Amino acid sequence: MELYYSFSALIVLCAIFSYLNARFLKLPATIGIMVIALLVSLGLIATENIFPHTFDRFSRLLSGFDFSDILMGAMLNFLLFAGAIHINMSDLREQRIPVVVFSTVSVIISTFVVGILSYYALQMLHFNIPFIQCLVFGALISPTDPIAVLGILKQAGVPKSLETKVAGESLFNDGVAVVVFVTLLQVAQGKDVDLSFGSISMLLAKEAIGGLAIGLLLGFIGSVMMKKVDNYKVDVLITLAIVMGGYLIVHSLHMSGPLAMVAAGLVVGNLGRTRAMSAVSKDYLDKFWELVDEIMNAILFLIIGLELIIIPDLGLYWKVGLLSIAIVLFARLLSIWIPTKLIPFRNNKFDRKTITILVWGGLRGGVSIALALSIDDYLNKNVFLAITYFIVLFSIIVQGLTVGRLTSTKELRRSVDA
């Protein structure tokens, strides 16, 4: 019952904050909820001595959630599936080379650039942190967050070709990012890890390719089942079974849950919805997953905003936090610019304006916070968690609110679509 009470409190807060945003702030829903949650958090911190019981209740509410486990083990699966079913496979196929390169090569480049620059920045600011721990931070902050990206690009008015690149990258880069993060974290923990190319390649193949294969199979089976019946209630239950049962399967096989959900969503969205469903079933399925997406996003961004309450000594890290924002943006620039110069992308134009939008549209969000929370305390968890929080806030609020303006001019739209 304790978990029920906690989720009830979050839903009530989401409803109130959504109303306040729609009534007064009029920001994109997820950003508005997070901004209000931040203001509430700051208010609670400022009045902690005046209203200690209220502050304690909120602290206990958030401390009762294992954010890393809830996001990576539950919410992310629903959100990725909900996002993937609305991606057109032909659009993704057209952008397949940039998506694959940006979700693999770019993640690795960014990991090392962030790790190296963060090490020297921390040393300069008198934080004596080992280099391997900085690489761990580079791995957790490098992947773009599919939740933040998909939620914000919907309302940003980004050209279709660019939206597919950014959304596709964010959906597929989790497999590589998690493998790199887990490997580096084990090294930082002092475990005996085989860092040979063959070992890392096999781990990546099992995690990524295995997850994709299971997801494709589940999506195909689900689509065949939907074709045999004409009942929107059954169709919705089948998709729920794919997400919830599918995660149990890939988790037990130690494969990538996020990639499995993306693959399953793509198959259901492009095979099940278009060939196996009636118009009525398709309408109900779309509305159901749109609602799931909105509710999950609202809860996620609410928790991100309220996390400010329980991050210890956040104010001590504002200098390194601001410096890290610049480091992450620079690393993102290099991770996009280098592949575009070295790899021949057919039918894809990457001029300065396009690269600028790809860099600025690479948002960080809850996934990075969840990975930061999974770091052991003795590996300077509080430092990296605080830095990650600064980066995520800047990414969602500043980049999220301005990415649409970068594509507002006709000249820029023509450049991106070319």
Side-chain angles (χ1 to χ4, degrees), residues 67-377:
F67 182 72
S68 180
D69 189 48
I70 289 174
L71 175 59
M72 302 301 290
M75 294 179 70
L76 187 60
N77 301 310
F78 287 91
L79 289 163
L80 289 176
F81 184 87
I85 62 174
H86 293 107
I87 290 183
N88 188 292
M89 189 72 83
S90 61
D91 292 338
L92 186 61
R93 190 181 299 113
E94 186 178 338
Q95 305 295 334
R96 63 187 181 279
I97 296 179
V99 167
V100 170
V101 171
F102 295 154
S103 61
T104 55
V105 177
S106 294
V107 170
I108 296 172
I109 293 174
S110 178
T111 295
F112 282 92
V113 173
V114 171
I116 293 170
L117 295 181
S118 295
Y119 174 74
Y120 288 107
L122 287 165
Q123 296 294 323
M124 182 179 67
L125 294 173
H126 309 294
F127 290 94
N128 188 23
I129 294 179
F131 177 64
I132 184 60
Q133 294 180 22
C134 295
L135 285 179
V136 172
F137 169 68
L140 72 88
I141 204 66
S142 290
T144 55
D145 190 294
I147 302 167
V149 170
L150 293 173
I152 291 171
L153 286 184
K154 290 178 184 177
Q155 304 178 23
V158 174
K160 190 65 179 178
S161 61
L162 184 56
E163 180 183 349
T164 302
K165 290 186 184 75
V166 178
E169 173 199 358
S170 67
L171 285 170
F172 284 102
N173 63 15
D174 289 291
V176 175
V178 170
V179 170
V180 175
F181 171 78
V182 170
T183 303
L184 292 173
L185 182 60
Q186 290 177 343
V187 175
Q189 292 169 336
K191 296 181 179 179
D192 187 14
V193 181
D194 185 357
L195 295 177
S196 66
F197 178 78
S199 176
I200 299 298
S201 298
M202 286 299 297
L203 180 61
L204 181 59
K206 179 184 177 182
E207 180 88 11
I209 298 176
L212 288 171
I214 295 294
L216 292 172
L217 179 62
L218 290 172
F220 177 76
I221 293 173
S223 297
V224 171
M225 293 173 65
M226 293 175 193
K227 192 173 183 179
K228 301 296 183 180
V229 297
D230 184 18
N231 188 313
Y232 71 87
K233 298 175 185 177
V234 176
D235 291 341
V236 169
L237 284 173
I238 289 173
T239 57
L240 282 174
I242 290 173
V243 174
M244 302 177 78
Y247 175 73
L248 295 178
I249 294 172
V250 294
H251 182 69
S252 64
L253 296 174
H254 303 289
M255 295 177 181
S256 174
L259 287 178
M261 293 304 104
V262 171
L266 287 171
V267 174
V268 171
N270 290 270
L271 180 62
R273 283 173 69 250
T274 57
R275 301 182 184 180
M277 291 184 193
S278 64
V280 173
S281 294
K282 179 180 177 181
D283 183 55
Y284 273 102
L285 188 75
D286 287 346
K287 289 178 179 177
F288 173 81
W289 280 104
E290 183 179 350
L291 184 60
V292 169
D293 187 48
E294 289 294 328
I295 293 174
M296 291 284 185
N297 267 298
I299 294 174
L300 173 62
F301 281 81
L302 172 71
I303 295 176
I304 291 176
L306 294 177
E307 282 283 324
L308 179 66
I309 296 174
I310 61 174
I311 296 180
D313 304 319
L314 184 65
L316 298 177
Y317 307 110
W318 68 271
K319 289 183 180 179
V320 67
L322 294 179
L323 187 56
S324 296
I325 291 171
I327 289 173
V328 169
L329 286 174
F330 178 70
R332 173 69 177 173
L333 173 62
L334 288 183
S335 70
I336 296 296
W337 182 80
I338 292 175
T340 60
K341 297 301 179 183
L342 298 180
I343 300 174
F345 292 102
R346 295 181 180 179
N347 303 321
N348 283 282
K349 182 179 179 181
F350 290 95
D351 57 14
R352 181 177 57 84
K353 295 174 182 177
T354 304
I355 292 175
T356 299
I357 299 172
L358 285 169
V359 171
W360 199 248
L363 308 180
R364 272 70 176 182
V367 171
S368 292
I369 293 179
L371 292 177
L373 284 167
S374 68
I375 298 176
D376 302 283
D377 290 335

Side-chain angles (χ1 to χ4, degrees), residues 17-34:
F17 292 175
S18 295
Y19 170 79
L20 293 174
N21 176 62
R23 182 73 174 82
F24 301 106
L25 296 183
K26 303 186 187 303
L27 295 173
T30 51
I31 298 179
I33 290 172
M34 194 182 77

